[in-house]
Amino acid sequence: MNDLTQYNSVRAQLRAGDVIVFWGNPLDPLTLAIEAFNDGPSHSAIVRQPIDNWGDDVIIEQSTRPILIAHSSKDGVQNEPLGVTLANYGANAKGAALLLSDAARARLDLMKFYEWIGECDGLVTYDTRDLFEFLLREIPIAGAREWQQESSKAMVCSGFVTSTLIKSGVLSPGINWTQWGPQQLVECGIYKACVPLLGNPTLTRFNTLTA
């Protein structure tokens, strides 16, 4: 189990809409493949509730496979205490919070934010097909791949986070969320700071693209 001293010291800074990114679950070879091909984190989630709204832990919303949550067999979009996720993410794992900028937060419509989460939680499954399409697209020998059409029935982690940011007004509605991996979320210019939660993660091209 991972030490949460680092996370506990900063968790009060997290607010609804902030993006969480993770590296290095050693139990999952797909995690390692995503990090190798995309030069960035392999998993992402979004803050659903800060600590002052729901007990003494931040609640995140994420689309995930059971292997990434050791104590759960649930597939797809679900909520989870962030401390529990970090503690059980595996040895040598890393995590960081990407805090929304004041401008991005001003665009965040919380009613639409929670409406979209409510439509997805427990109903949208994890999109394994999109995950493999993403990996194949990153392999030069496989050539260019066409991304599947947007689907509200199945999403990978970054697709769910991106769709939530779109639906709540933070990102442009013209973005196709199936095209965004965790690294694209890192690069998106909607943040004011990166706060390490676990380990010492290094972000590449953080906050460099115009949203």
Side-chain angles (χ1 to χ4, degrees):
M1 183 172 290
N2 294 314
D3 183 2
L4 296 182
T5 301
Q6 188 177 7
Y7 164 65
N8 288 336
S9 70
V10 298
R11 62 183 180 176
Q13 299 180 37
L14 307 188
R15 299 172 62 188
D18 290 335
V19 174
I20 311 297
V21 288
F22 305 83
W23 292 257
N25 186 321
L27 299 176
D28 186 8
L30 287 176
T31 291
L32 304 180
I34 293 170
E35 292 175 13
F37 288 129
N38 208 34
D39 191 26
S42 51
H43 185 58
S44 57
I46 195 164
V47 174
R48 173 174 176 157
Q49 300 282 359
I51 57 174
D52 59 348
N53 285 76
W54 195 337
D56 59 357
D57 201 354
V58 173
I59 303 299
I60 58 172
E61 195 78 22
Q62 61 183 334
S63 181
T64 188
R65 293 164 294 131
I67 193 170
L68 294 182
I69 302 182
H71 58 278
S72 173
S73 60
K74 189 176 177 182
D75 171 84
V77 176
Q78 56 197 284
N79 62 77
E80 171 89 349
L82 179 52
V84 173
T85 303
L86 292 168
N88 293 285
Y89 210 75
N92 302 314
K94 301 174 186 177
L98 313 181
L99 308 185
L100 291 181
S101 67
D102 292 342
R105 187 160 296 283
R107 297 194 299 270
L108 177 66
D109 185 322
L110 284 174
M111 181 173 292
K112 293 180 179 178
F113 176 82
Y114 288 116
E115 282 178 353
W116 178 245
I117 288 176
E119 290 178 18
C120 296
D121 192 300
L123 300 173
V124 174
T125 60
Y126 188 85
D127 195 345
T128 303
R129 175 185 172 184
D130 193 23
L131 174 62
F132 280 102
E133 286 187 355
F134 170 78
L135 288 172
L136 285 172
R137 187 174 183 268
E138 298 301 314
I139 302 174
I141 196 171
R145 302 278 298 186
E146 288 188 7
W147 291 90
Q148 67 183 78
Q149 296 296 312
E150 291 179 357
S151 171
S152 297
K153 296 180 180 180
M155 299 182 196
V156 294
C157 62
S158 52
F160 169 69
V161 173
T162 305
S163 71
T164 303
L165 293 172
I166 293 169
K167 294 288 186 177
S168 60
V170 176
L171 290 178
S172 167
I175 294 172
N176 182 336
W177 64 66
T178 67
Q179 297 185 17
W180 280 45
Q183 177 58 26
Q184 283 65 49
L185 285 167
V186 167
E187 296 174 13
C188 188
I190 57 174
Y191 310 111
K192 65 179 180 181
C194 169
V195 178
L197 304 176
L198 187 67
N200 187 28
T202 300
L203 276 70
T204 304
R205 301 181 297 279
F206 172 61
N207 211 35
T208 54
L209 299 181
T210 302

